[in-house]
Amino acid sequence: MLKLGIIGSHTITKQMLAAAHASGHYRLTSVYSRHIERAKEFGQPYGAKYFYDDLETFFDQGDFDVVYIASPNSCHFAQAKLAIEHDKQVIVEKPAFVNPHQFDAILQLLQAHPQAHLFEAARHMYTPLYQLAKQKVQSMGTIQGATITAMKYSSRYDKVLDESAPTPNIFNPDFAGGALMDLGVYAVYVAVDLFGTPQQVQYFPTMTTSGVDGKGVAILRYDGFTVTLNVGKTANSYLPTEVYGLKDAVVFDNAFDTRKISYFDAEKHEHELIPDHLYGNGMLDEMLSFADSFEHPTDPERQRQYQERLQLAKKVNTVMFELRQSAHLHFPADN
Ligand SMILES: NC(=O)c1ccc[n+]([C@@H]2O[C@H](COP(=O)([O-])OP(=O)(O)OC[C@H]3O[C@@H](n4cnc5c(N)ncnc54)[C@H](OP(=O)(O)O)[C@@H]3O)[C@@H](O)[C@H]2O)c1
């Protein structure tokens, strides 16, 4: 059983803990929160025994093998750095890091700490349904691009509209917020995983009064085709995600909460892709996969897969940064 420590006590950590419990591979032992009472209140119902409000002490004294980091985006780097320095296994929520400078520093640190491993929690990449879609796309004779949508109204945008309320972290540039960083990373993952690194990118953001992109459109140029990303947190989109072949297409009902993917053949007949399972908790596949890797740290095939995941995360990080640069979106963490 992997002993688990957590940073961040919001909804996504609860979902992760439900997945961790369902996987049968993790046991929560240690909780860090900025407030000790919050650490106890959050962790005790899950059986945690050790509580900290000091990050260094959490890593020095906490009894855990794996740390799950679900803090605001701008905090991930310093927290993951400390975790690796303490030879922990790290699961860091997406987007793992704010820019290539941070990512490269983490890669260097991982080399110096070979016992530590780091996964970005790009949950939608780990489902068998997505893997079926990827195989289908790879089998298509011609690719003419894609439209990938990751857009959902965030209830936290209500607080931005109510200018008397404090700006939520995810709409705050100081915390590396915004639509591209939040839901956009799911779309970038799909594009980079299916088609590789684009030759050129351009992002056209619509800014919020709080100084981040609330929504936007990105164009990724590849050799012979383009991919369009629609991302946003200030509107709801019901558009499916589509990959275009010649006469055929692969259609996802949703790019990041995927429940159904179909292949439409040249005669326009629909063939639904049926995975061997589709878990209700969208984090269960990734938590199982991470556990398998952490539990077999010297297995060559798992190591190969791990390196592949890390390289994919690195490519996504680079494309995200180039998209931000194309739109002059700057975060304090870039300084
Ligand atoms: N995979 C997914 O489906 C998914 C879904 C949602 C979010 N996420 C990712 O999870 C991460 C957290 O997102 P979130 O919406 O939960 O963020 P959040 O609510 O802004 O903050 C998460 C936690 O971080 C701590 N925190 C809050 N403000 C902080 C500050 N100023 N400085 C340091 N720590 C602070 C809080 O924990 P304490 O009060 O206990 O310290 C809070 O519970 C993000 O990277 C996001 O992209 C992933």
Side-chain angles (χ1 to χ4, degrees):
M1 196 67 103
L2 294 160
K3 287 186 268 183
L4 183 63
I6 54 172
I7 299 177
S9 58
H10 202 240
T11 321
I12 197 60
T13 305
K14 289 187 181 169
Q15 189 181 338
M16 182 282 298
L17 287 170
H21 180 72
S23 79
H25 288 266
Y26 303 85
R27 177 165 59 89
L28 180 66
T29 60
S30 311
V31 181
Y32 163 80
S33 170
R34 292 165 301 163
H35 309 284
I36 198 74
E37 285 315 314
R38 175 67 183 152
K40 289 180 184 163
E41 171 197 64
F42 189 85
Q44 274 166 347
Y46 296 96
K49 293 273 186 298
Y50 309 107
F51 307 97
Y52 305 90
D53 60 3
D54 179 82
L55 207 55
E56 292 272 359
T57 318
F58 170 72
F59 282 114
D60 281 339
Q61 297 175 11
D63 179 24
F64 57 93
D65 315 298
V66 181
V67 62
Y68 170 75
I69 300 175
S71 53
N73 300 335
S74 61
C75 304
H76 294 177
F77 173 70
Q79 293 169 342
K81 184 169 176 288
L82 259 184
I84 298 166
E85 284 166 353
H86 285 78
D87 295 316
K88 299 293 185 191
Q89 312 292 22
V90 186
I91 302 169
V92 56
E93 264 304 341
K94 58 79 203 167
F97 304 111
V98 171
N99 53 44
H101 180 71
Q102 290 188 350
F103 210 116
D104 290 343
I106 290 292
L107 290 179
Q108 275 194 9
L109 206 56
L110 284 168
Q111 277 191 350
H113 291 265
Q115 300 102 307
H117 296 81
L118 179 139
F119 284 100
E120 181 174 37
R123 57 183 168 76
H124 61 322
M125 293 286 106
Y126 288 83
T127 67
L129 181 54
Y130 173 76
Q131 291 302 325
L132 279 181
K134 183 175 175 180
Q135 284 165 23
K136 188 48 106 177
V137 169
Q138 285 171 343
S139 75
M140 286 161 74
T142 303
I143 294 290
Q144 297 194 79
T147 302
I148 304 170
T149 298
M151 192 183 312
K152 187 175 168 188
Y153 187 89
S154 165
S155 56
R156 295 183 195 183
Y157 189 54
D158 291 349
K159 295 206 170 68
V160 178
L161 293 175
D162 170 7
E163 287 181 4
S164 65
T167 302
N169 298 336
I170 199 57
F171 285 100
N172 189 338
D174 292 346
F175 290 95
L180 179 66
M181 293 298 279
D182 194 53
L183 296 183
V185 67
Y186 291 118
V188 173
Y189 248 102
V190 172
V192 173
D193 190 46
L194 293 182
F195 310 119
T197 303
Q199 295 172 336
Q200 196 188 349
V201 303
Q202 180 69 50
Y203 185 46
F204 303 92
T206 306
M207 301 301 287
T208 64
T209 52
S210 59
V212 298
D213 53 320
K215 64 190 284 296
V217 175
I219 310 283
L220 313 187
R221 277 185 59 159
Y222 288 88
D223 186 15
F225 60 88
T226 56
V227 171
T228 307
L229 313 183
N230 298 310
V231 305
K233 288 183 71 67
T234 59
N236 284 313
S237 172
Y238 303 92
L239 275 181
T241 280
E242 300 179 313
V243 178
Y244 311 113
L246 185 55
K247 296 179 184 173
D248 54 350
V250 172
V251 181
F252 298 47
D253 64 342
N254 184 304
F256 58 100
D257 280 329
T258 319
R259 304 310 296 174
K260 182 182 173 190
I261 303 181
S262 291
Y263 174 67
F264 287 81
D265 65 22
E267 282 73 45
K268 301 182 182 167
H269 295 139
E270 179 176 3
H271 307 270
E272 188 174 342
L273 306 183
I274 307 293
D276 63 8
H277 66 258
L278 184 58
Y279 294 134
N281 186 332
M283 300 178 84
L284 183 47
D285 286 302
E286 63 172 358
M287 291 302 287
L288 281 164
S289 178
F290 302 152
D292 185 55
S293 183
F294 296 147
E295 286 168 350
H296 301 90
T298 56
D299 177 69
E301 177 53 20
R302 269 116 169 172
Q303 278 305 304
R304 189 195 62 73
Q305 284 175 7
Y306 165 66
Q307 288 301 334
E308 213 173 85
R309 296 280 181 202
L310 201 55
Q311 287 314 311
L312 176 62
K314 163 81 183 137
K315 283 184 199 164
V316 167
N317 173 271
T318 303
V319 173
M320 294 279 291
F321 186 64
E322 287 172 356
L323 283 165
R324 280 204 294 119
Q325 281 189 311
S326 76
H328 309 289
L329 293 176
H330 186 79
F331 297 136
D334 297 328
N335 293 334

